[in-house]
Amino acid sequence: MSWQHSVPRITEDERQLRLSKLRQGIEGEGLAGVLLGPTESLRYFTGLVWHPSERFLGALVTPSAISYIVPGFERSRVETLPHLPGEILLWEEEESSAALISRLVGQGGRLALDDGLPLYFYHALAAAMGAERLADGGRLIRGLRRIKSAAEIALIQYAMNLTLDVHEQVHALLKPGIRSSEAVDFIDRQHRQAGADDGSTFAIVSFGAATSLPHGADGDQVLGPSDVILVDTGCRIDGYHSDITRTYMLEGGDREFERAWRIEREAQQAVFDAARIGAACASLDDAARKVLAKHSLGPDYRLPGLPHRAGHGLGLEIHEEPYIVRGNDAALAAGMCFSNEPMIVFPEKFGIRLEDHITMTEDGPHWFTHPSAGPTEPFA
């Protein structure tokens, strides 16, 4: 059964509500408008999906209108793609898209830029308009995107459920002698068969000492009978990501691994328990490191210990705000969604990452997927 029968797409009404909030921000900050590039923010506000190239395509949002800035020969393609109604304004090959945008904005007012725009286009706009008239639109855009609606959360939940099922299937597949590449190919096939947008968005399958490298090792690996296994993968449903990691062994009895695994699970639970409305994102990272320090790991980013932040936001981008990291004083709010993955690395021996995601509600944190049950039981 297709996912569309289980969870609906983001509606035009929801995108119009997002645009309304963006326009409130435009007016509140005294801006002439916001320029969206060919980024996930363009998709978020207008529904138009476009891959970046050297030719600019995007949308200019003002307090009263939305205008699509489109290469002339791409008009027919854009017209066939889903997007909110708006005037399509063309620029030809010998013309400057930055000059067209400058004319639309006019002589007065500042233009806030999508923070995903490439640097070369910023320079083109600065030459056409003057750098003093350009503002960073990232804070405004990200402030809206980091609070997920019920529809967004439902899409993320569906994607997470799908990927968790794929994890269970690959767990059943893994036997000594299998190559990591075989497992990666299997994961992609299962994601595709389940209806993910484009199969796996990524798949890391690591065995043994390679698990101590947070993002995997180069080359193929062969699973040994006493190897630690780390599987990290995800997919997209209507653009929204899943991202789940499991670390386990096929058989028990390795006391060093099992002790480390339980410390990792304790740190993951500490992050969850610290997640409260109004809590600073940094306090969750602190909670994980406090657990590790209690067990003589770390401190800070030292190894053996946690070499990176404890989590990241997730939505249309697999890494987005809010970041669960030291120094981030942003307060948790209902609708935020983020990973909980305080990995422990033992260099050249093994690493353990248990990654599940949290959505914040007015009642506190909720798991998208339930954490692992034990060192040889990767599922609740």
Side-chain angles (χ1 to χ4, degrees):
M1 182 174 67
S2 168
W3 65 263
Q4 288 94 336
H5 296 290
S6 301
V7 58
R9 291 180 178 272
I10 302 298
T11 65
E12 182 171 315
D13 285 346
E14 180 161 335
R15 294 198 196 280
Q16 290 287 8
L17 178 60
R18 295 170 180 179
L19 269 183
S20 176
K21 292 178 179 178
L22 181 61
R23 286 182 170 127
Q24 290 174 18
I26 290 171
E27 293 180 328
E29 297 189 16
L31 299 167
V34 169
L35 182 67
L36 303 173
T39 66
E40 294 299 342
S41 292
L42 179 68
R43 179 178 191 155
Y44 178 83
F45 289 106
T46 74
L48 180 60
V49 179
W50 198 263
H51 297 291
S53 76
E54 76 280 10
R55 296 182 178 93
F56 179 81
L57 185 148
L60 176 63
V61 180
T62 68
S64 60
I66 178 170
S67 302
Y68 295 96
I69 314 301
V70 176
F73 71 95
E74 297 284 20
R75 176 172 189 151
S76 58
R77 172 64 175 155
V78 171
E79 288 176 336
T80 66
L81 295 174
H83 60 276
L84 291 184
E87 186 177 9
I88 296 178
L89 302 175
L90 307 178
W91 61 277
E92 301 299 347
E93 290 284 71
E94 78 280 5
E95 296 176 331
S96 165
S97 55
L100 170 58
I101 293 163
S102 178
R103 291 195 298 273
L104 292 171
V105 175
Q107 295 300 312
R110 294 180 305 135
L111 177 64
L113 304 182
D114 183 339
D115 59 350
L117 283 174
L119 182 60
Y120 75 82
F121 197 68
Y122 167 84
H123 286 308
L125 286 168
M129 297 180 59
E132 70 281 358
R133 295 182 57 203
L134 302 178
D136 180 6
R139 183 178 56 81
L140 174 57
I141 292 169
R142 300 287 173 175
L144 295 173
R145 283 185 51 188
R146 69 183 178 181
I147 304 298
K148 305 298 189 289
S149 69
E152 290 179 286
I153 291 170
L155 284 163
I156 295 170
Q157 183 67 72
Y158 189 93
M160 292 289 187
N161 292 347
L162 190 158
T163 291
L164 186 63
D165 182 65
V166 171
H167 264 285
E168 292 178 357
Q169 293 178 61
V170 77
H171 173 251
L173 174 77
L174 292 172
K175 299 292 186 293
I178 192 171
R179 292 187 174 276
S180 58
S181 59
E182 295 177 68
V184 168
D185 290 344
F186 176 83
I187 290 168
D188 184 65
R189 289 198 305 273
Q190 298 312 114
H191 271 137
R192 289 181 187 277
Q193 290 178 15
D197 289 356
D198 294 297
S200 302
T201 50
F202 71 99
I204 299 169
V205 178
S206 299
F207 304 142
T211 62
S212 67
L213 302 173
H215 287 154
D218 291 335
D220 213 354
Q221 304 153 46
V222 178
L223 177 62
S226 60
D227 279 347
V228 175
I229 298 165
L230 186 151
V231 180
D232 183 0
T233 188
C235 70
R236 297 181 89 177
I237 294 293
D238 201 19
Y240 286 84
H241 285 271
S242 63
D243 182 9
I244 301 173
T245 309
R246 292 290 181 263
T247 307
Y248 48 88
M249 295 183 72
L250 296 180
E251 296 183 3
D254 187 319
R255 292 185 179 180
E256 182 183 17
F257 171 75
E258 291 178 358
R259 175 182 178 274
W261 190 97
R262 290 190 169 88
I263 295 171
E264 164 74 357
R265 179 67 192 90
E266 183 183 350
Q268 190 192 36
Q269 189 63 41
V271 171
F272 182 87
D273 293 343
R276 294 291 180 265
I277 297 296
C281 290
S283 68
L284 279 62
D285 188 272
D286 291 342
R289 295 183 196 281
K290 184 176 180 180
V291 169
L292 270 58
K294 181 180 71 173
H295 293 283
S296 301
L297 297 170
D300 303 318
Y301 298 101
R302 297 177 197 170
L303 302 181
L306 171 53
H308 54 63
R309 65 194 174 211
H312 59 82
L314 169 141
L316 286 172
E317 293 172 280
I318 196 164
H319 291 171
E320 61 178 51
E321 293 186 8
Y323 291 104
I324 308 305
V325 64
R326 177 177 292 176
N328 185 3
D329 292 331
L332 294 182
M336 289 183 175
C337 301
F338 52 90
S339 72
N340 180 352
E341 49 175 321
M343 182 179 191
I344 304 176
V345 169
F346 297 85
E348 300 181 6
K349 295 177 69 175
F350 60 82
I352 304 173
R353 181 164 67 248
L354 302 178
E355 179 184 14
D356 297 277
H357 285 244
I358 292 169
T359 177
M360 294 303 299
T361 75
E362 295 292 353
D363 298 326
H366 286 202
W367 293 109
F368 276 104
T369 52
H370 292 292
S372 300
T376 60
E377 300 174 88
F379 311 105

